[in-house]
Coordinates of all heavy atoms in Angstrom, one line a residue:
Chain B
T8 N 88.9 101.9 107.1 CA 88.5 103.2 107.7 C 88.1 102.9 109.2 O 87.3 102.1 109.5 CB 87.2 103.8 107.0 OG1 87.5 104.0 105.6 CG2 86.9 105.1 107.6
Q9 N 88.8 103.6 110.0 CA 88.5 103.6 111.4 C 87.9 104.9 111.8 O 88.4 106.0 111.7 CB 89.8 103.4 112.3 CG 90.4 102.0 112.1 CD 91.6 101.7 113.0 OE1 92.7 101.4 112.5 NE2 91.4 101.9 114.3
L10 N 86.6 104.8 112.3 CA 85.9 106.0 112.6 C 86.3 106.4 114.0 O 86.1 105.7 115.0 CB 84.4 105.7 112.6 CG 83.8 105.3 111.2 CD1 82.4 105.0 111.2 CD2 84.1 106.5 110.2
G11 N 86.7 107.7 114.1 CA 87.1 108.2 115.4 C 88.6 108.0 115.6 O 89.0 106.8 115.9
S12 N 89.4 109.0 115.6 CA 90.8 108.9 115.8 C 91.1 108.8 117.3 O 92.1 108.4 117.7 CB 91.6 110.1 115.2 OG 91.1 111.3 115.8
H13 N 90.1 109.3 118.1 CA 90.3 109.2 119.6 C 88.9 108.9 120.2 O 87.9 109.6 119.9 CB 90.8 110.6 120.1 CG 91.2 110.6 121.5 ND1 91.7 111.7 122.1 CD2 91.3 109.6 122.4 CE1 92.0 111.4 123.4 NE2 91.8 110.1 123.5
V14 N 88.9 107.9 121.1 CA 87.7 107.5 121.8 C 88.1 107.5 123.3 O 89.1 106.9 123.7 CB 87.3 106.1 121.3 CG1 86.2 105.6 122.2 CG2 86.8 106.1 119.9
S15 N 87.2 108.1 124.0 CA 87.4 108.1 125.5 C 86.2 107.3 126.1 O 85.0 107.6 125.8 CB 87.4 109.5 126.0 OG 88.6 110.2 125.6
L23 N 83.9 100.4 122.2 CA 83.5 100.1 120.8 C 84.4 100.9 119.9 O 84.3 102.1 119.9 CB 82.0 100.5 120.6 CG 81.5 100.4 119.1 CD1 81.7 99.0 118.5 CD2 80.1 100.9 119.0
L24 N 85.2 100.2 119.2 CA 86.0 100.8 118.2 C 85.6 100.3 116.8 O 85.5 99.1 116.6 CB 87.5 100.5 118.4 CG 88.0 100.8 119.8 CD1 89.5 100.4 119.9 CD2 87.8 102.3 120.2
R25 N 85.3 101.3 115.9 CA 84.7 100.9 114.6 C 85.7 100.8 113.5 O 86.7 101.5 113.4 CB 83.7 102.0 114.2 CG 82.6 102.2 115.2 CD 81.6 103.3 114.8 NE 80.6 103.5 115.9 CZ 79.5 102.9 116.0 NH1 79.2 101.9 115.1 NH2 78.6 103.2 116.9
C26 N 85.5 99.8 112.7 CA 86.4 99.5 111.5 C 85.5 99.1 110.3 O 84.7 98.2 110.5 CB 87.4 98.4 111.9 SG 88.4 97.9 110.5
N27 N 85.7 99.8 109.2 CA 85.0 99.4 108.0 C 86.1 99.1 107.0 O 87.1 99.8 107.0 CB 84.0 100.4 107.5 CG 82.8 100.4 108.4 OD1 82.7 101.1 109.4 ND2 81.8 99.7 108.0
W38 N 92.8 93.0 114.3 CA 92.9 94.1 115.2 C 94.2 93.9 116.0 O 94.5 92.9 116.5 CB 91.7 94.2 116.2 CG 90.5 94.9 115.7 CD1 89.4 94.3 115.2 CD2 90.3 96.3 115.7 NE1 88.5 95.3 114.9 CE2 89.0 96.5 115.1 CE3 91.1 97.4 116.1 CZ2 88.5 97.8 115.0 CZ3 90.6 98.7 115.9 CH2 89.3 98.9 115.4
E91 N 96.8 102.6 121.5 CA 96.4 102.8 120.1 C 95.9 101.5 119.5 O 96.6 100.5 119.7 CB 97.6 103.4 119.3 CG 97.2 103.9 117.9 CD 96.7 105.3 117.9 OE1 97.0 106.1 118.9 OE2 96.0 105.7 117.0
Y92 N 94.8 101.5 118.8 CA 94.3 100.3 118.2 C 94.2 100.5 116.7 O 93.8 101.5 116.2 CB 92.9 100.0 118.7 CG 92.9 99.6 120.2 CD1 93.0 100.6 121.2 CD2 92.9 98.3 120.6 CE1 93.1 100.2 122.5 CE2 93.0 97.9 121.9 CZ 93.1 98.9 122.9 OH 93.1 98.5 124.2
F93 N 94.7 99.4 116.0 CA 94.7 99.5 114.5 C 93.9 98.3 114.0 O 94.1 97.1 114.4 CB 96.2 99.4 114.0 CG 97.0 100.6 114.3 CD1 97.9 100.6 115.4 CD2 96.9 101.7 113.5 CE1 98.6 101.7 115.7 CE2 97.7 102.8 113.8 CZ 98.6 102.8 114.9
G109 N 94.3 100.7 109.0 CA 93.5 101.9 109.2 C 94.5 102.9 109.9 O 95.6 102.6 110.3
K110 N 93.9 104.1 110.1 CA 94.8 105.2 110.7 C 94.9 105.1 112.2 O 95.7 105.9 112.8 CB 94.2 106.6 110.3 CG 94.3 106.8 108.8 CD 93.9 108.2 108.4 CE 94.1 108.5 107.0 NZ 93.8 109.9 106.6
G111 N 94.2 104.2 112.8 CA 94.3 104.0 114.2 C 93.3 104.8 115.0 O 92.8 105.8 114.6
T112 N 93.0 104.2 116.2 CA 92.1 104.9 117.1 C 92.8 104.9 118.5 O 93.2 103.8 119.0 CB 90.7 104.2 117.2 OG1 90.1 104.3 116.0 CG2 89.9 104.9 118.3
K113 N 93.0 106.0 119.1 CA 93.6 106.1 120.4 C 92.5 106.0 121.4 O 91.5 106.7 121.4 CB 94.3 107.4 120.6 CG 95.0 107.5 121.9 CD 95.8 108.8 122.1 CE 96.5 108.9 123.4 NZ 97.3 110.1 123.6
L114 N 92.6 105.0 122.3 CA 91.6 104.8 123.3 C 92.1 105.3 124.6 O 93.2 104.9 125.1 CB 91.3 103.3 123.5 CG 90.4 102.9 124.6 CD1 89.0 103.4 124.4 CD2 90.3 101.4 124.8

Side-chain angles (χ1 to χ4, degrees):
Chain B
T8 302
Q9 290 184 238
L10 294 177
S12 59
H13 192 183
V14 171
S15 291
L23 171 60
L24 304 182
R25 301 178 186 273
C26 172
N27 289 88
W38 273 101
E91 189 85 24
Y92 291 81
F93 293 97
K110 292 187 175 182
T112 298
K113 182 178 180 179
L114 175 66

